[in-house]
Amino acid sequence: MYKTWILAVFVLISVSASAQQLAPPVLELSVKRNIGRGAVLLGNNAVIPQTVTLEAVGFTVSEMGGASSQPLDPSITVNFSETSFRMPPKSQHQIDYDVICPKVPCHVQIQANFHGLRTTNGIAVVIRLISFVYLVQREALRVEDVQIQKEIQGLVITNRSEKYGRVEATLRYVDGTERVEGFPLFPGAIRKVTFEKPGYGILKFPKGSFDSRKQ
Amino acid sequence: VKVVTAIFGFLLVALSASAQSFQMRAGTSTLMDSSGASVKIYAPHSVMDFGVGVAQGQFVFGVSDSFHWRDYDVTAGDSQLGFSLDNAGLGVAIRGLSVKRTGEHQSFGLFAGSTNLTYGTPYFSGVRKMQHLGIGTFFKHRFSNGLTSSSLLAVEGGKHSAIESLKFERLRFSLSGAGGLLAGKTFTNLQISAHPLKPLRFSGVHQDLWEAAHVSANSASAFLNFRRLDFNAAIFSGRTVGETVGIEFHAEWIDARFNYYKTTTNSVNMIFGERIGRRTRVTETFSLSNGGNDLSIGGSYEGRHFSVSVGHQTVFLPFAVSGQSAFHQVLTVSLRLQLPHNSSLNIESLMLPDGKVRHTVYGDTWAYRNVDNSSSPSHKALQRYSIEGNVVEPDGQIVVGAAIRIGKETVFSDSHGHFSLRFSKPIAVIAKAIPEEFLVGTWAVISTPVTVTAALEESVKKIQIVVRKAQ
């Protein structure tokens, strides 16, 4: 009988758990001078403690939208209130930070590395979560600041200004479906938006919009 | 009644602590003739373990609390201790107190309490019978010239152990010797090993043991690695004389192992393993010996939601019929189900040579209490003054996950080996590396500053801590 009780107790006791968290995934700080102040919120929803290390690195975005990390530009400084700490199970922790850039706009990537229980041998698994931070000029990017070229496969957007702006692209296809994507447009950068099927695109800039049907 | 009261007392004290994770296990086994359950509590500053069950008709329980006190690892209650001194070792199961400290050059251990017959299963462990009073101490010192000295003194139920060992290591060569009393029996051993090239190793061991009569044993072995192939050969002499030769091949999807054993009889073992996709593996084992030939086929699947394996294993059956070998080849089937909410269920079945089937069923789950689920997260403001530094190996390689205690706080080095801690004022604090808390590996400290002062961002001087991988 006691065996049944032991197994019944085991079956009845269960808990919920999910993964580690870092928020927000993207933060745009509109700044007057070259300093931006922000914060990230980290969550440990695991049932074991986590040791977290925070780092700031640089990143680039390709013409097709792929982001790749690179060492932080030495002219950019990022100060965290804490760069490493232990998080108890089911806890949240907020980290404040300053980003100091030689000129605005600029961007950095904050990496939070979650380490589980320590190991003296074997494989140590590290979960890396990323938050993208953009220091943005006060003056908004206008549709007149960019050059847009229509191609058979899509649109090529060239930013001819020194401004940063986030663009929302709505791609509507002839079969009635649509795809919406948002992306950053860096000063002097080129970005390609590809149509998967025949259709047209509407680009919304912080100021103004572009409709490929009207061109 | 006293035992149950004591366990509930421990549990009440444990449950009053904050931020705990609980690992709970329960199971039953017709193979081990036992049923039981255990709870492991991970609290911020200690790990507590409680187990209770019935094994072969006998009540068994285990209680322990492990914590860090100053520079010491302390375990109060039940613990399994192992002391290794170059080819000689002593294992003790104790109910009492054990204290351990591991430093850069010195390690120290002390235990005192009752020595026990223990009972261990995947779902609980405990003490079956308390036997004698035992006390012992262990000390190890590593000198800078490559010499390491180890001493073990222990008394357990009238059996005395007193062992002294010396080991000399230099470049690609090591020589070690140990001798003394091990559980009341006199022994000596001498070991020499060399690896003139990285993929080539030789070793030789001579051992003497005085029980009722003097027994002497010698062995010599060699190992060579060439690309995907490993070659090994060894000869033994003692009560019996033996030789082994082996070759192993490892590739991405297939591996093969061939071993030849020569003692009073000759036998050959060949094991082939094939990986099918990322999750499935099939193995074939051929055994050729004077007693006959045998072929067994097994396989396993490791999935996200369940794992299953079928195979033949040679297992030790402690309650085998007197006069027969306790080692038998049995058919094993094991199934592991990953359940929702961090839970799992394990079922293992063995078919014994006599056709009888034995089962072991156990489950594992996690729970937590007093953890911070509040909407306001913990938060520390950005301060102006900081202490920063790097952790490196002697050759300049960065060390990731190094634990540094600065004042009362512990910080860790990032993927560039860099660490920092901020303060509201320019205070001076003690900083030191804590190798036992590094996130990965075993380390020893070579140099670390003693006192550092927090400074403003623009005038902060980075400190450097040098550590090395410990053996």
Side-chain angles (χ1 to χ4, degrees):
Chain A
M1 185 64 186
Y2 61 89
K3 294 178 188 175
T4 314
W5 273 108
I6 288 168
L7 288 174
V9 167
F10 165 73
V11 171
L12 284 172
I13 300 169
S14 60
V15 293
S16 64
S18 54
Q20 290 72 28
Q21 293 171 338
L22 176 68
V26 177
L27 180 64
E28 289 183 352
L29 296 165
S30 179
V31 295
K32 202 183 255 182
R33 289 184 294 168
N34 60 342
I35 299 176
R37 291 196 168 89
V40 284
L41 185 67
L42 298 101
N44 174 21
N45 278 331
V47 291
I48 56 169
Q50 298 279 323
T51 302
V52 183
T53 57
L54 280 180
E55 296 172 48
V57 298
F59 70 96
T60 57
V61 179
S62 71
E63 291 181 358
M64 299 307 292
S68 53
S69 301
Q70 61 181 37
L72 186 66
D73 184 333
S75 64
I76 299 174
T77 304
V78 181
N79 297 318
F80 293 104
S81 56
E82 291 169 271
T83 53
S84 62
F85 45 89
R86 285 192 174 115
M87 291 187 73
K90 299 283 168 185
S91 65
Q92 291 187 320
H93 195 65
Q94 182 182 316
I95 297 293
D96 294 348
Y97 60 82
D98 287 348
V99 181
I100 305 164
C101 296
K103 63 173 187 173
V104 174
C106 81
H107 54 274
V108 297
Q109 191 185 70
I110 294 173
Q111 294 183 344
N113 301 308
F114 289 80
H115 306 255
L117 297 173
R118 78 179 293 264
T119 175
T120 52
N121 53 37
I123 298 170
V125 177
V126 177
I127 296 168
R128 174 172 290 170
L129 302 178
I130 292 169
S131 177
F132 294 95
V133 180
Y134 301 90
L135 262 61
V136 185
Q137 75 290 337
R138 285 287 172 96
E139 196 183 345
L141 180 73
R142 297 172 304 164
V143 67
E144 294 80 19
D145 294 325
V146 301
Q147 179 190 338
I148 301 167
Q149 209 177 327
K150 278 171 68 176
E151 291 187 348
I152 299 168
Q153 293 289 319
L155 302 169
V156 179
I157 307 149
T158 307
N159 186 355
R160 296 177 302 182
S161 74
E162 288 296 307
K163 299 174 198 168
Y164 163 91
R166 184 160 283 274
V167 183
E168 186 187 288
T170 305
L171 308 177
R172 291 197 179 119
Y173 301 118
V174 289
D175 60 4
T177 59
E178 71 171 32
R179 180 164 64 92
V180 180
E181 64 175 273
F183 54 84
L185 192 60
F186 296 101
I190 296 172
R191 177 63 187 255
K192 289 180 178 170
V193 178
T194 311
F195 293 122
E196 291 152 338
K197 293 175 268 187
Y200 65 95
I202 298 169
L203 304 176
K204 281 187 186 166
F205 294 86
K207 272 197 175 168
S209 62
F210 170 86
D211 188 333
S212 65
R213 288 173 301 179
K214 295 176 184 171
Q215 304 298 315
Chain B
V1 174
K2 282 180 185 172
V3 168
V4 174
T5 310
I7 290 175
F8 273 101
F10 268 110
L11 274 170
L12 279 174
V13 171
L15 289 170
S16 63
S18 60
Q20 299 152 332
S21 298
F22 298 79
Q23 186 181 22
M24 289 164 287
R25 292 185 173 128
T28 183
S29 172
T30 55
L31 178 72
M32 293 178 273
D33 189 17
S34 74
S35 296
S38 64
V39 182
K40 200 166 196 172
I41 303 172
Y42 294 88
H45 303 294
S46 72
V47 177
M48 287 156 277
D49 206 346
F50 308 92
V52 63
V54 176
Q56 288 139 30
Q58 218 176 342
F59 178 71
V60 176
F61 80 96
V63 182
S64 71
D65 185 3
S66 303
F67 53 91
H68 197 72
W69 180 70
R70 296 192 176 174
D71 289 334
Y72 295 92
D73 293 315
V74 183
T75 300
D78 299 330
S79 57
Q80 300 264 7
L81 305 173
F83 302 99
S84 172
L85 296 94
D86 304 319
N87 276 336
L90 182 71
V92 183
I94 192 160
R95 174 164 285 170
L97 191 73
S98 68
V99 180
K100 195 171 73 176
R101 179 179 175 171
T102 307
E104 183 191 350
H105 297 292
Q106 289 181 348
S107 301
F108 166 77
L110 176 72
F111 67 90
S114 68
T115 58
N116 311 300
L117 279 179
T118 58
Y119 190 87
T121 68
Y123 40 90
F124 89 103
S125 62
V127 170
R128 198 159 58 166
K129 188 180 175 187
M130 288 197 271
Q131 292 183 305
H132 312 286
L133 285 177
I135 187 164
T137 179
F138 173 79
F139 184 75
K140 189 174 192 173
H141 187 91
R142 187 193 296 269
F143 297 91
S144 55
N145 59 3
L147 195 67
T148 304
S149 159
S150 307
S151 309
L152 172 68
L153 289 170
V155 180
E156 185 244 319
K159 288 180 182 171
H160 298 245
S161 294
I163 306 170
E164 182 64 35
S165 134
L166 278 175
K167 184 175 188 179
F168 177 76
E169 284 177 288
R170 183 60 65 89
L171 298 172
R172 299 178 181 276
F173 170 81
S174 79
L175 176 69
S176 64
L181 273 176
L182 180 63
K185 293 167 187 166
T186 309
F187 87 99
T188 60
N189 76 47
L190 187 69
Q191 180 171 3
I192 186 166
S193 66
H195 53 117
L197 299 168
K198 201 175 177 184
L200 182 63
R201 285 202 310 264
F202 298 101
S203 70
V205 180
H206 172 80
Q207 290 178 294
D208 286 293
L209 182 67
W210 285 267
E211 293 182 89
H214 172 222
V215 184
S216 187
N218 298 292
S219 68
S221 62
F223 172 86
L224 172 68
N225 168 259
F226 179 71
R227 297 187 176 171
R228 293 180 180 275
L229 292 169
D230 291 336
F231 301 89
N232 63 75
I235 51 172
F236 309 90
S237 73
R239 283 189 173 125
T240 57
V241 178
E243 296 164 17
T244 73
V245 178
I247 181 167
E248 292 182 24
F249 170 78
H250 301 279
E252 194 174 351
W253 300 107
I254 190 165
D255 53 79
R257 205 160 67 207
F258 169 89
N259 282 96
Y260 167 73
Y261 302 94
K262 183 184 176 187
T263 51
T264 49
T265 58
N266 296 332
S267 65
V268 173
N269 268 4
M270 286 179 283
I271 302 171
F272 299 93
E274 302 88 32
R275 193 168 286 281
I276 304 165
R278 287 191 304 129
R279 299 180 185 279
T280 310
R281 183 179 156 81
V282 179
T283 54
E284 303 90 34
T285 305
F286 299 93
S287 299
L288 313 172
S289 67
N290 295 352
N293 303 333
D294 185 44
L295 165 66
S296 55
I297 296 174
S300 64
Y301 171 80
E302 296 274 344
R304 195 177 156 198
H305 300 292
F306 75 94
S307 307
V308 61
S309 70
V310 181
H312 284 83
Q313 278 182 17
T314 302
V315 297
F316 180 73
L317 300 175
F319 307 109
V321 176
S322 176
Q324 289 184 5
S325 170
F327 289 95
H328 288 276
Q329 200 176 61
V330 297
L331 174 68
T332 62
V333 179
S334 65
L335 173 70
R336 177 182 168 84
L337 294 172
Q338 190 61 44
L339 304 173
H341 311 303
N342 280 343
S343 304
S344 68
L345 182 66
N346 300 269
I347 302 168
E348 292 169 8
S349 295
L350 279 83
M351 184 183 278
L352 302 177
D354 60 5
K356 288 181 181 169
V357 179
R358 297 280 185 268
H359 303 286
T360 300
V361 181
Y362 63 96
D364 179 301
T365 190
W366 288 79
Y368 53 90
R369 72 180 291 276
N370 281 357
V371 291
D372 186 5
N373 273 327
S374 62
S375 55
S376 58
S378 57
H379 175 228
K380 196 186 264 187
L382 187 58
Q383 311 279 6
R384 292 176 65 206
Y385 297 88
S386 69
I387 288 170
E388 292 184 32
N390 289 301
V391 186
V392 293
E393 290 191 66
D395 60 1
Q397 280 197 60
I398 57 168
V399 178
V400 180
I404 317 297
R405 189 163 294 154
I406 302 175
K408 291 178 180 175
E409 304 252 5
T410 302
V411 298
F412 296 86
S413 60
D414 62 19
S415 63
H416 299 100
H418 180 257
F419 64 89
S420 69
L421 183 65
R422 289 186 168 267
F423 296 86
S424 58
K425 51 189 176 184
I427 57 168
V429 289
I430 293 170
K432 62 176 181 176
I434 315 290
E436 59 272 22
E437 292 187 27
F438 280 29
L439 297 176
V440 182
T442 310
W443 298 83
V445 181
I446 292 178
S447 73
T448 183
V450 179
T451 305
V452 284
T453 305
L456 285 170
E457 188 74 38
E458 51 276 14
S459 56
V460 70
K461 285 180 185 171
K462 284 189 179 178
I463 57 175
Q464 180 155 294
I465 291 173
V466 184
V467 297
R468 64 166 170 79
K469 287 191 176 91
Q471 290 181 344

